[in-house]
Amino acid sequence: MAACTPAGRAVKADGKVLVSSRPCLPRVTSALARAVIFSCAFLVPELEGAQFRVLGPDQPVTAVVGEDVVLPCRLSPRLNAENMEVLWFQSIISNHIHYYRSGWDDYSFQNPQYRGRTELSKEGLSVGNVSLRILSTRLSDEGQYRCRVQDGDSYEEASVELQVADSIFPKDYPWKVAFFVTLAACFASLVAFPLFISRLRAQQATEIGKRDAEIQKHVSELRWRNAFVPVEEVHVTLDADTAHPELILSDGGKSVRCGDTRQEVPDNPERYDTDPCVLGQEGFTSGRYFWDVDVGMEEGGFWELGVAKESTKRKGEIDRDPRNGIWGIGHMKGEYRALTSPYHTLLSLTKRPRTIRVSLDTEAQKVAFFYADNQDLLYTFPLGPLSGERIRPWFWVYVSAQLTLKSPPSPPRVPSEE
């Protein structure tokens, strides 16, 4: 704290002397007397006109409760205000908000509600910036503020209006932020979820309708072709030279299952070496054919069957879908699927199939799958242009599954005329 001399000089504790722009206030012990002296010092009836102006903002300043706010104020021209006196107050000068004079802040008569919450930027004083920062704004801070700058016997003032708004998410109560965010999210979900479900059901209904219409179209077409175009049932046997080393084929090449170990078989170019696949020996480039496959299995067995191009990939992992020349259906984890691309299509079957009929129509460029017992359609694939390439029966056999090719019935014997 600086001590005052009769000559109006303030002597700081370090011994340095600073010359005040006006005589120092005499030391008094009475708080009331000090307040009177402070008021009189600023309530001089007539002071000379200042050589500068004090400018505030044209619009009110808006603050949010709990946040800091700056009340802008500056000198024009931008004079150095380090040795001037700056007083921020509202209605009563003696109960001021912030008082600065000649290099230090005087908190003697500061309004208690602003104690520890006001700052005057010392760096800005050199360029005439006398703005006041109020920390942790309160609702009670709202109102009209006045900034008075005095240099010697002259002074100027400017007004700043502060408007304070409540914060929806106060910084002091982070749990309220989480509560309101969660509440808003729940409300949005309550509104959006029924709409989402409604749209999803409408989309599913549309897709199911399209699929049913497509199935009916294929059924009608297949019935027409069955009535006018002959279909040949073929005798299919498995090609051991293409079988994965873990697949076990029956002696007659009519059934296949997955073993526990790899067999010692030649690694010829035709053999599958990664996916447990095997091809039928027969290949087709024209005509209409069908064959039946018994898919009897333990609960949870994994299998797939259908047709594949002769040029289908045999080495390494295979994406089993039409993009790679494979068209089929299968069972995995209790679900029946068509091996469509890029994603498989879940089949809604009315009953568990025991025997599946594979129908290949190279003329119409289609392959269809039926229940063998009642000819109900399971799924139909378009083959696209084949360009004369052979199409062969294809099988994928994994855990707890065995596929068996059914042999066509023998033609009836014609009795001899003898």
Side-chain angles (χ1 to χ4, degrees), residues 350-351 370-377:
T350 57
K351 61 179 181 179
F370 300 87
Y371 286 102
D373 55 353
N374 59 10
Q375 302 299 298
D376 284 348
L377 181 66

Side-chain angles (χ1 to χ4, degrees), residues 123-139:
E123 293 79 9
L125 289 172
S126 61
V127 291
N129 183 359
V130 292
S131 301
L132 180 69
R133 178 183 296 274
I134 299 178
L135 310 178
S136 302
T137 308
R138 304 171 182 173
L139 281 174

Side-chain angles (χ1 to χ4, degrees), residues 135-400:
L135 310 178
S136 302
T137 308
R138 304 171 182 173
L139 281 174
S140 58
D141 294 341
E142 185 171 89
Q144 194 79 19
Y145 290 76
R146 300 188 66 80
C147 173
R148 173 180 292 190
V149 181
Q150 183 169 331
D151 184 21
D153 293 333
S154 61
Y155 74 91
E156 286 288 337
E157 291 183 0
S159 297
V160 181
E161 182 181 351
L162 175 62
Q163 297 177 349
V164 181
D166 267 314
S167 174
I168 298 178
F169 306 127
K171 292 182 179 178
D172 294 337
Y173 302 97
W175 64 269
K176 290 187 178 180
V177 178
F179 172 76
F180 281 109
V181 170
T182 304
L183 186 63
C186 292
F187 179 76
S189 299
L190 290 175
V191 174
F193 187 71
L195 295 176
F196 171 76
I197 294 298
S198 177
R199 291 179 181 177
L200 183 61
R201 287 178 177 174
Q203 182 180 357
Q204 289 178 339
T206 301
E207 292 178 354
I208 291 174
K210 290 181 179 178
R211 188 174 66 181
D212 289 344
E214 184 179 355
I215 290 175
Q216 291 302 320
K217 177 182 176 182
H218 290 315
V219 169
S220 300
E221 183 178 347
L222 288 169
R223 285 175 178 170
W224 180 87
R225 293 185 64 82
N226 288 336
F228 293 96
V229 182
V231 180
E232 180 183 352
E233 183 176 10
V234 294
H235 182 84
V236 174
T237 56
L238 302 173
D239 186 353
D241 290 338
T242 66
H244 184 275
E246 289 185 5
L247 294 184
I248 300 175
L249 278 57
S250 64
D251 291 340
K254 300 298 291 186
S255 67
V256 56
R257 63 183 177 86
C258 189
D260 297 329
T261 59
R262 296 175 69 94
Q263 304 174 79
E264 293 294 334
V265 293
D267 186 17
N268 51 288
E270 297 84 9
R271 190 179 306 281
Y272 290 93
D273 66 353
T274 302
D275 277 35
C277 301
V278 62
L279 294 176
Q281 289 188 2
E282 295 71 24
F284 312 98
T285 57
S286 63
R288 303 182 66 224
Y289 310 91
F290 77 86
W291 56 92
D292 293 340
V293 183
D294 189 339
V295 295
M297 59 182 181
E298 299 179 14
E299 192 69 27
F302 292 8
W303 56 262
E304 295 169 358
L305 59 90
V307 298
K309 288 183 177 182
E310 179 78 53
S311 61
T312 185
K313 180 182 176 182
R314 314 284 178 87
K315 305 299 182 181
E317 293 185 359
I318 302 170
D319 291 329
R320 305 183 299 278
D321 57 43
R323 294 175 301 181
N324 295 281
I326 297 175
W327 298 267
I329 64 173
H331 175 271
M332 185 176 293
K333 297 181 179 179
E335 296 179 340
Y336 293 88
R337 298 177 180 271
L339 308 184
T340 52
S341 60
Y343 305 106
H344 292 176
T345 300
L346 184 64
L347 301 179
S348 299
L349 305 186
T350 57
K351 61 179 181 179
R352 178 181 176 184
R354 293 292 181 180
T355 304
I356 293 177
R357 175 161 296 177
V358 183
S359 179
L360 174 64
D361 188 340
T362 60
E363 307 301 326
Q365 297 181 347
K366 292 181 180 179
V367 60
F369 300 86
F370 300 87
Y371 286 102
D373 55 353
N374 59 10
Q375 302 299 298
D376 284 348
L377 181 66
L378 296 173
Y379 199 82
T380 302
F381 285 93
L383 292 177
L386 299 177
S387 302
E389 184 173 359
R390 288 210 313 164
I391 300 295
R392 299 174 65 176
W394 171 85
F395 308 89
W396 180 90
V397 186
Y398 196 47
V399 179
S400 304

